Amino acid sequence: PELLRAGGSVRSHFPAGLVNLIAEIRGEHALDGEEQGSESAEVIVGASYSVTPHLELRGGVTFPAWNPDELDNGVVVGLIVHF
């Protein structure tokens, strides 16, 4: 939800107790050097939980999107503070 603050600014955070599903892809492509032309990408699938409107806990599993020799499977856990 969006909250209108004094002075007209808008802040948007999720309320406490909300669970969100996350799907993310990120990659890299070397432009020069020894690795020039090589590329890799990973996918993250997980969930986040809003502990408070300003504190969010996230977790997910990572795995290669293509070129599986470049990346390993893994787990990602994070704590995000919205301010």
Side-chain angles (χ1 to χ4, degrees), residues 8 14 16 23 25 29 32 34-35 41 48 56 60 69 74 77-78 83:
F14 293 117
I25 187 168
H29 180 84
D32 59 6
E34 281 185 22
E35 302 291 321
S48 71
E56 184 178 340
D69 296 332
V77 176
F83 53 92

Side-chain angles (χ1 to χ4, degrees), residues 28-73:
E28 61 182 49
H29 180 84
L31 298 177
D32 59 6
E34 281 185 22
E35 302 291 321
Q36 183 175 0
S38 68
E39 56 186 31
S40 62
E42 67 181 357
V43 175
I44 301 173
V45 178
S48 71
Y49 175 76
S50 296
V51 180
T52 71
H54 297 286
L55 189 63
E56 184 178 340
L57 182 62
R58 287 187 176 187
V61 177
T62 64
F63 54 91
W66 62 79
N67 200 2
D69 296 332
E70 293 293 320
L71 300 169
D72 294 324
N73 296 337

Side-chain angles (χ1 to χ4, degrees), residues 11-34:
R11 297 289 299 247
S12 180
H13 297 293
F14 293 117
L18 188 66
V19 176
N20 295 296
L21 299 178
I22 300 169
E24 182 178 313
I25 187 168
R26 60 181 166 192
E28 61 182 49
H29 180 84
L31 298 177
D32 59 6
E34 281 185 22

